Amino acid sequence: MGNTILDSIEEMKAIDCSDMLSVIEGFSGQCREAVRLGRTVVLGDLEEIGSKVSSILILGMGGSGVSGDIAKSYLENELRVPLLVNKSYGVPGYVNENTLVFAVSYSGDTEETLSGFDEAVKRNCKVVSITTGGKLAERANDLGFQVVKIPAGIQPRSALGYLFLPLLVVLSRMGFVSEKQKEIEETISLMQSIKEIYGANIPVNENIAKGLALRLYNKLPVIYGFSGLSDVVAFRWKCQFNENSKIPSFWHVLPELNHNETVSWECLEEITKNFTLILLRDKDEPLGIKKRFDVTHELIEHKFSGVETVWAEGKSKLARMFSLIYLGDFVSYYLALLYGVDPSPVERIKVLKDKLAE
Ligand code: PA5
């Protein structure tokens, strides 16, 4: 059944009513524009405060908040101050005037992020906002805070370039991390060439993303990444399966999962035989992680309907992370079409936000 849909652009477009495909396929262009926005935002007094900052906090939920997770995973080893991501109301207790805060919200109207923004302002933090507008842009503009204004009209999770890259560029401009120009260039070129092999025009029998989506049809994906590179990617894949493909999915991270979840694949065999394990790996993963992937695979593979191993591509850490993220975007998109669901709407999130706002 499915392969006929994935080989017919017309049938795909009939399901993908909001044309998420164009946004996914245009990702490298989005990244270029996002870098330009990060470079051109006027930093003003932020240029001078770098040495006073003792911590960095990123506020954001869902498709916006994942940009903070990516920043944390990508930059943690290089940063000399702690970077935390807050995915709830308010801000943690340690936050004070020496905390640099980023408020990331595609709509600018997410209540948890707004609550964190307000609390950060009360504590005299400097706040940089990344948003299309909404209350966040209004409040930040009123206070004369920096706002990276990004284009509206797409799904937050499809705007990952806009939400993440300005954050990275600003952190680099402020001197918290080194210049990332080379890594960003490599990542954007890699996204361009990856699109040529995972894109909708490439038929099922030559397309890794379509092939993986077909094998995942009627299966529940369990995604394992490893700490420091594919941890956040595993989370992103899970969220993309949830929101694009509208299916449950679970994720975990090595080495931690070896201390709990590895034991779990024992009972419930009738259920878990419909699960597919996806391993997000990298040729340069540390030896300890390599061994853990291999041994874990061997110990539990027979409990799943299958195991899919996906390898990162590219040289720099950023490119390798994004090569995996981008594959997940395509796979979750194709899987949505196989289920006959429009990948764009997230009706239940909307209903929930409306009810909470009442
Ligand atoms: O993908 C989505 O629509 C959600 O995960 C949103 O990103 C989340 O609800 C937060 O909204 P926003 O990104 O507008 O702050």
Side-chain angles (χ1 to χ4, degrees):
M1 50 126 297
N3 45 356
T4 53
I5 295 175
L6 297 188
D7 274 340
S8 158
I9 298 279
E10 286 69 39
E11 283 181 66
M12 285 167 55
K13 284 194 169 156
I15 301 172
D16 178 16
C17 301
S18 312
D19 195 18
M20 185 182 274
L21 178 63
S22 298
V23 184
I24 297 178
E25 293 196 334
F27 188 62
S28 59
Q30 177 188 136
C31 290
R32 278 197 195 288
E33 174 59 7
V35 171
R36 192 190 67 74
L37 293 172
R39 283 203 187 118
T40 50
V41 63
V42 178
L43 292 182
D45 59 346
L46 287 186
E47 308 249 34
E48 274 96 60
I49 64 155
S51 59
K52 295 197 194 105
V53 170
S54 58
S55 59
I56 297 168
L57 181 71
I58 302 173
L59 311 169
M61 306 300 296
S64 293
V66 76
S67 60
D69 300 324
I70 296 173
K72 186 173 188 305
S73 198
Y74 175 43
L75 302 173
E76 209 161 36
N77 285 343
E78 185 182 345
L79 279 165
R80 291 292 162 257
V81 292
L83 182 157
L84 276 101
V85 184
N86 197 58
K87 295 193 175 188
S88 186
Y89 297 90
V91 295
Y94 70 86
V95 169
N96 62 24
E97 68 277 10
N98 295 324
T99 308
L100 172 67
V101 176
F102 288 87
V104 187
S105 169
Y106 189 72
S107 62
D109 286 323
T110 300
E111 67 173 43
E112 298 93 320
T113 313
L114 288 170
S115 137
F117 176 91
D118 292 342
E119 188 55 38
V121 170
K122 274 191 207 147
R123 298 196 197 183
N124 294 320
C125 305
K126 299 279 182 198
V127 187
V128 180
S129 299
I130 301 175
T131 183
T132 59
K135 295 192 186 90
L136 181 60
E138 258 170 47
R139 290 181 199 181
N141 285 329
D142 286 349
L143 292 160
F145 283 163
Q146 286 76 5
V147 177
V148 181
K149 189 106 176 5
I150 57 175
I154 56 177
Q155 290 296 319
R157 60 194 178 279
S158 303
L160 187 61
Y162 288 134
L163 295 161
F164 167 70
L165 286 165
L167 177 63
L168 177 60
V169 172
V170 170
L171 283 173
S172 157
R173 283 178 64 196
M174 290 183 70
F176 292 108
V177 290
S178 62
E179 171 63 53
K180 298 294 176 205
Q181 170 72 12
K182 232 174 106 195
E183 283 93 330
I184 293 174
E185 272 310 317
E186 191 217 345
T187 305
I188 295 178
S189 323
L190 186 64
M191 297 305 101
Q192 249 160 354
S193 50
I194 283 180
K195 189 209 94 178
E196 303 303 326
I197 49 174
Y198 301 157
N201 285 326
I202 310 302
V204 162
N205 56 1
E206 296 165 27
N207 191 319
I208 292 171
K210 288 183 180 178
L212 183 50
L214 281 163
R215 292 194 296 283
L216 288 175
Y217 183 70
N218 271 337
K219 304 284 183 273
L220 186 144
V222 175
I223 309 133
Y224 285 173
F226 68 94
S227 201
L229 192 137
S230 61
D231 42 4
V232 58
V233 186
F235 174 61
R236 165 79 175 179
W237 276 52
K238 169 243 178 318
C239 296
Q240 294 292 73
F241 284 132
N242 296 157
E243 295 189 61
N244 289 348
S245 326
K246 277 82 175 169
I247 56 166
S249 172
F250 301 102
W251 71 293
H252 210 328
V253 177
L254 281 170
E256 174 62 19
L257 72 89
N258 278 164
H259 301 273
N260 35 64
E261 188 161 312
T262 309
V263 186
S264 72
W265 306 107
E266 194 155 324
C267 306
L268 297 184
E269 277 186 325
E270 274 310 298
I271 296 174
T272 65
K273 71 179 187 200
N274 296 311
F275 292 10
T276 296
L277 181 63
I278 302 173
L279 306 176
L280 301 179
R281 301 195 59 174
D282 179 52
K283 62 178 176 10
D284 290 332
E285 64 206 10
L287 187 61
I289 294 292
K290 182 191 162 1
K291 281 189 188 160
R292 284 178 187 275
F293 265 125
D294 292 343
V295 176
T296 308
H297 186 166
E298 201 182 300
L299 284 175
I300 63 176
E301 66 175 325
H302 58 288
K303 300 292 181 179
F304 292 84
S305 68
V307 182
E308 301 282 347
T309 302
V310 180
W311 294 90
E313 290 175 48
K315 285 200 198 88
S316 65
K317 183 172 173 182
L318 189 67
R320 284 181 284 146
M321 288 174 86
F322 269 88
S323 71
L324 291 172
I325 289 174
Y326 204 28
L327 174 61
D329 289 358
F330 274 105
V331 174
S332 61
Y333 170 81
Y334 292 132
L335 191 55
L337 305 184
L338 291 174
Y339 285 117
V341 294
D342 185 343
S344 293
V346 279
E347 199 46 37
R348 233 171 258 158
I349 295 181
K350 194 179 162 303
V351 171
L352 220 134
K353 285 184 177 176
D354 290 347
K355 279 192 186 291
L356 285 166
E358 269 165 21

